[in-house]
Structures are given as structure tokens and as C-alpha cells.
Amino acid sequence: MNPILYLISYNFEALKEYFEQCVLKPECHKVNVVWLFIAALRQENGAKDLMYKMADASEIGRTSLVRETERYYSPAHHELIEGILRKYMNYDEEELGQQYDFIFNEYEKWSNNVLEPYLDSLFDSPVIKYCNHYVFEFLKIYSDKNPHKTLDWLLGRYMREENNWRVFDSMTEVLLTADHKILEFEQNDKVLEDAMAMLDDVV
């Protein structure tokens, strides 16, 4: 067993001074913020505060921390993980934003009652502009469940990323998937009209 993992499990107090010193050294953040995240998952006393202190101190620290949330997600840890993701979505950093894109692979594990309010915030955050791949795969799937909500997120994102031709094809696929789902039940729909107007604007 790794000695740090052993101490996290059996004597976290002995590591606190070490982690406090690591906070002052950004070159140590990538790995050590992960140890603190594991300690926070175990609810070790003081671990969460140290974890946030380290992630707040450097881009590499918060990027590494957000990356780990994808690996360790479970409903039992939801409150901690959502707290981390909400805290750092407000940084305008490309590498960090790319980690948020990867996490779209994991959202099927979240219950709808917590997922939609969280995504309302994420789609209104600075990091969303760096999500250019997995986000669209997620939206295509989610449009079958809730096409109106999907279009709401997409239309809001488009307004901030106007003329982003790199993702035009992906945006179009989501729009058409959601539009077809809506048309199964409704012929006249304001959200649908807005979506089609958006397509007309960019074609």
C-alpha cells in the first residue's frame, strides 16, 4: 500500500502539516490534491478544507481535482462532487473546461432532480465554452428524455458562442434530434420555432 494512502486511512492527522506545505508549492498540487480528495471522500477531519485550499491556489490543482470527480463518482459522494464542480465552473480556463467536457460521460449516473439544476448553472458558466465534444453526445441522448430542456441549454450556449463553426455540425445534430422529438407531440411550439430560427441564422 502507498504510504500516503496508508496514513490517510489510519492517521490523517500526521499528514496535515505535509499538505499545508504542499499548498505553497504549485508543482505539488497535481498529485496531492488527489490524495486530499480521497481523504475528503473518507470524511477525514480537515481534508475537505485542505483540498479546496490547494485547488484554489493553482489551475493545475483545480484541473486535477475536477478530473478525479469523474473517476470517483457515486451517489454516496454526490454532495461533495457536485460542490467541487459548482465551485470551479466559474473559472475561465481551457484545460479545466475540457475536464468538464469529459464529465458529460458520467451524468447518466446523476438523478434528474439534481442534474437539471446543476446543468442550468454549468451552461451559464465560463467553462462551458471549452466543452466541444462530449457535451453534444450527452445533449443528443438527453433530447430524447427532455427535448425542451435540451434546446433551452443549447440555445443559451449558442448565444454566448455565436458563429462557433467548429461545433456547428454537432449543434445541428442536437437541434434536429430535439426538434423531431417535439414534433411527435406538438406542431406549434415556441422553443421549436426559436431553434429553427437559430438554424436559419447560421446556415
Side-chain angles (χ1 to χ4, degrees), residues 42-201:
R42 295 175 55 85
Q43 300 184 326
E44 299 293 342
N45 184 43
K48 184 164 73 169
D49 289 342
L50 277 167
M51 176 191 73
Y52 281 133
K53 192 173 180 180
M54 188 174 291
D56 288 349
S58 73
E59 180 177 354
I60 195 169
R62 50 187 164 267
T63 300
S64 183
L65 178 57
V66 167
R67 182 184 299 120
E68 289 305 301
T69 64
E70 180 187 8
R71 293 181 54 197
Y72 285 92
Y73 183 82
S74 75
H77 301 137
H78 178 85
E79 184 176 353
L80 175 64
I81 286 174
E82 184 179 350
I84 291 168
L85 295 176
R86 281 186 174 276
K87 181 175 176 64
Y88 295 113
M89 67 172 62
N90 294 311
Y91 286 80
D92 190 345
E93 297 168 347
E94 183 172 3
E95 189 174 349
L96 177 65
Q98 290 169 353
Q99 295 309 312
Y100 277 86
D101 191 32
F102 289 129
I103 296 169
F104 275 93
N105 280 325
E106 299 298 310
Y107 289 142
E108 75 274 4
K109 299 175 184 176
W110 291 37
S111 63
N112 286 342
N113 66 316
V114 296
L115 179 59
E116 290 192 357
Y118 163 76
L119 288 178
D120 284 342
S121 298
L122 180 58
F123 276 95
D124 197 37
S125 74
V127 297
I128 197 64
K129 66 186 174 186
Y130 303 112
C131 299
N132 290 315
H133 180 67
Y134 296 106
V135 59
F136 293 112
E137 294 301 314
F138 167 83
L139 288 173
K140 280 173 61 180
I141 294 168
Y142 206 80
S143 64
D144 193 56
K145 181 187 300 184
N146 191 336
H148 285 91
K149 193 65 178 174
T150 301
L151 289 175
D152 179 51
W153 289 327
L154 186 65
L155 291 170
R157 183 184 193 282
Y158 172 76
M159 294 304 292
R160 288 187 295 280
E161 296 299 305
E162 194 169 356
N163 297 324
N164 189 345
W165 296 104
R166 291 179 307 152
V167 298
F168 174 74
D169 288 346
S170 299
M171 288 170 53
T172 303
E173 285 185 46
V174 175
L175 279 168
L176 294 176
T177 302
D179 292 350
H180 290 153
K181 189 67 178 180
I182 291 172
L183 285 170
E184 288 180 20
F185 304 101
E186 306 171 57
Q187 293 299 315
N188 298 310
D189 185 273
K190 181 63 169 65
V191 175
L192 182 58
E193 289 176 13
D194 291 343
M196 299 313 292
M198 186 184 92
L199 270 179
D200 290 341
D201 288 343

